[in-house]
Amino acid sequence: MDLGLAERVAIVGGAGLEIGKHVAMALASEGAKVSLCARNEEGLRLAEIEVARIGTQHNVLAMPADLTEPRDIRRVVRDTINRFGQVDILVVRTRQPIRSSLADIEDSEMTEEVERHLLSAVRLTREVIPYMKQEHWGRIINLDLASSQQVVEGGIQATARQLYLIGYFKTLAQELAPFNITVNSLLTGALDTRELKDYLEYHSEHEEIDLDDLTRKTAKRIPMKRFGRPEEIGEMVAFLASEKTGYLTGATISVDGGQVQN
C-alpha cells in the first residue's frame, strides 16, 4: 500500500530511544524525509545510521536537542526548514516523569512537570503549525503511554499531563481541520524495548523476584499475552501520518494488545 509519504518531511522527537527510532524508520521506508531529535546523542547517532540505510543520508537530519528547552525547539524547526523546505509531519513524544505520591508532591514538582514535560509538547506543536498551514497539509501525532489513561499508584504527574494533552490535541484537531491538518493521539502499551527491560530488572532486584518469572507474568496480564514490538508502533504512526487517514482527526487510539479498557 502506498501511503503517499514520498517527499513529505517529518520531525520525530525522542528518536534516540527505540520507539522514536522505529517511527523514523517506518516513515523513511515510505519515502519521507526525517529530522531526528533527542537528548541522547549516542542513541541519536545510531538511529541516524539505521534510518539513512533505509533511505539516503541526504534525507536524514539528526539534531541533538532538549525539547523541553524553547530555544532547542526553535532550532530544530528552523534547521528542518532550512534543510528540507517544509514540515508536514510532527511526532511528539513527551518524557515520563518520576512517580510520586499525590499527598507528598510539592508545588515545585508540579510546576516543573507543566513547564518541562507538558509545555514542551505544546510549544513544539505551536512552532510547526504555521508551516503546515502554508502547505494546507499536516499530520500531528501525540505519542504517549496507554497506562496514563488509568489511575496508577504514584502516577499523578503522568496522568494529569496526559489528560491535559489529550484535551489539548482534541481541541487543536477542531481548529486545524479546515487547514487539512489532522491531530491524533496514539497511546502505547508495554513494548519489547530496553526501557521495559530496565523497568523489569529494577523491580526484579528491589522486590527480589526472578526476572524471567516477572517478565512472563507481566506479559500474561496483557490480553494478547505478549509485549508489543516497536516496529508495530512505527507502522501505526506511518499510517496515521499518511494520505489514507485524511478524515481521521481528534482521535485517541490505544495500541496495547487490549490491556487498557477505555
Side-chain angles (χ1 to χ4, degrees):
M1 180 187 295
D2 181 5
L3 297 182
L5 292 178
E7 301 304 312
R8 294 293 186 188
V9 177
I11 294 176
V12 179
L17 298 175
E18 287 173 81
I19 298 173
K21 179 185 71 175
H22 281 284
V23 166
M25 291 170 65
L27 293 169
S29 70
E30 294 292 332
K33 301 173 183 179
V34 186
S35 286
L36 312 174
C37 48
R39 292 181 304 138
N40 174 10
E41 186 166 1
E42 181 181 358
L44 178 67
R45 296 308 173 192
L46 291 173
E48 179 184 16
I49 292 169
E50 294 196 46
V51 175
R53 284 174 180 163
I54 294 172
T56 66
Q57 184 63 49
H58 179 71
N59 288 341
V60 181
L61 176 62
M63 295 170 282
D66 182 350
L67 295 181
T68 66
E69 295 292 340
R71 64 179 180 274
D72 278 13
I73 289 174
R74 291 190 293 269
R75 175 173 56 83
V76 164
V77 176
R78 182 191 66 236
D79 288 356
T80 299
I81 293 295
N82 289 341
R83 174 72 172 270
F84 299 124
Q86 63 197 64
V87 177
D88 305 296
I89 301 160
L90 173 66
V91 181
V92 179
R93 187 165 185 243
T94 52
R95 290 157 47 187
Q96 297 307 308
I98 298 172
R99 290 186 176 183
S100 57
S101 167
L102 177 58
D104 297 332
I105 194 168
E106 299 288 343
D107 287 355
S108 59
E109 292 178 275
M110 288 301 294
T111 300
E112 182 180 6
E113 171 66 15
V114 170
E115 177 66 27
R116 293 181 60 81
H117 307 305
L118 190 155
L119 284 179
S120 62
V122 174
R123 288 169 179 149
L124 181 56
T125 303
R126 189 172 58 208
E127 196 72 20
V128 303
I129 287 173
Y131 299 102
M132 292 181 175
K133 283 184 174 180
Q134 287 177 9
E135 298 293 324
H136 202 74
W137 198 98
R139 301 287 186 264
I140 298 171
I141 300 164
N142 169 40
L143 192 58
D144 210 322
L145 294 178
S147 59
S148 299
Q149 290 185 296
Q150 295 183 320
V151 176
V152 179
E153 183 181 356
I156 177 61
Q157 291 166 285
T159 301
R161 185 208 63 221
Q162 180 60 45
L163 291 174
Y164 177 96
L165 284 179
I166 287 176
Y168 169 77
F169 284 116
K170 281 183 176 291
T171 304
L172 193 63
Q174 295 282 317
E175 293 186 7
L176 297 181
F179 300 94
N180 195 31
I181 301 169
T182 68
V183 186
N184 295 291
S185 294
L186 184 65
L187 309 183
T188 66
L191 303 175
D192 188 10
T193 63
R194 182 68 255 175
E195 290 175 277
L196 177 62
K197 291 182 176 68
D198 289 344
Y199 173 84
L200 293 173
E201 287 172 2
Y202 173 84
H203 283 278
S204 170
E205 179 181 346
H206 285 76
E207 297 172 19
E208 298 183 350
I209 303 172
D210 180 76
L211 178 59
D212 290 338
D213 286 344
L214 178 60
T215 301
R216 283 193 294 270
K217 289 177 181 177
T218 303
K220 284 182 179 180
R221 288 198 292 267
I222 302 169
M224 294 195 78
K225 309 302 181 187
R226 69 172 178 88
F227 300 127
R229 297 187 298 273
E231 299 92 328
E232 293 174 302
I233 304 305
E235 291 162 0
M236 187 66 181
V237 170
F239 181 67
L240 286 177
S242 75
E243 293 280 4
K244 307 298 183 183
T245 55
Y247 203 56
L248 176 65
T249 194
T252 301
I253 303 167
S254 294
V255 183
D256 61 1
Q259 191 170 9
V260 175
Q261 300 300 315
N262 297 328

